Amino acid sequence: MKALTLSYPLHAALSMTLFAAVEVLTGCGAAAPCTYTSAVTISPAVGAADHLAVAPGDQQQFSALSQREPTTASAGCAVPTANPTNVTKLTPAWTVSDSTNVKISSAQDATNGLATCIGTTKSTVTVTALGALTAGGATKALGTATLTCK
């Protein structure tokens, strides 16, 4: 019986193929999966309205936008660009720190986030968007803005 001898180029090619197959099967060298979080932006960050003006002068429209961003644990992941697939308009519940002088809509329609000044505020009013970023998730403060009513 004659022993099989391999030439160096063939031996190297078989070794590389075997090494690649082991990597694929064991997952070595594979990048960690990308994980994302949602960053919420409240717009405008600072608003103002005049309670003596007629609508819309006595109103300020606030909106909440969520954008997916990779977490710090996702090293090497591509940062998504701002486009309609990464940005979602939210319809949160809204609260204000001075409900005597400011009313805000939490209706799930086009008036969501519409604040109306019904009196002069002594200082800036904090406007807070409340909601959950995932279905069944806990309701929490998503972001804040400020409003001054003259």
Side-chain angles (χ1 to χ4, degrees):
M1 184 169 202
K2 190 172 185 183
L4 178 64
T5 30
L6 299 174
S7 67
Y8 179 74
L10 181 57
H11 181 265
L14 285 174
S15 295
M16 294 299 284
T17 303
L18 180 60
F19 179 75
V22 168
E23 272 192 345
V24 168
L25 293 174
T26 62
C28 293
C34 295
T35 56
Y36 293 90
T37 186
S38 292
V40 177
T41 303
I42 307 300
S43 181
V46 178
D50 184 347
H51 81 285
L52 295 175
V54 295
D58 64 343
Q59 300 172 329
Q60 176 66 61
Q61 179 69 56
F62 290 93
S63 64
L65 298 175
S66 171
Q67 181 171 353
R68 286 186 54 202
E69 296 178 349
T71 63
T72 55
S74 297
C77 290
V79 176
T81 57
N83 65 48
T85 61
N86 294 336
V87 179
T88 305
K89 184 173 187 326
L90 304 175
T91 52
W94 296 89
T95 63
V96 289
S97 60
D98 181 351
S99 58
T100 301
N101 293 305
V102 180
K103 301 297 179 203
I104 191 162
S105 173
S106 290
Q108 299 297 300
D109 59 20
T111 66
N112 183 273
L114 183 63
T116 303
C117 293
I118 54 177
T120 302
T121 56
K122 294 179 182 174
S123 59
T124 58
V125 174
T126 301
V127 178
T128 305
L130 302 169
L133 291 175
T134 58
T139 298
K140 63 180 186 174
L142 301 174
T144 61
T146 60
L147 174 66
T148 301
C149 295
K150 304 178 210 172

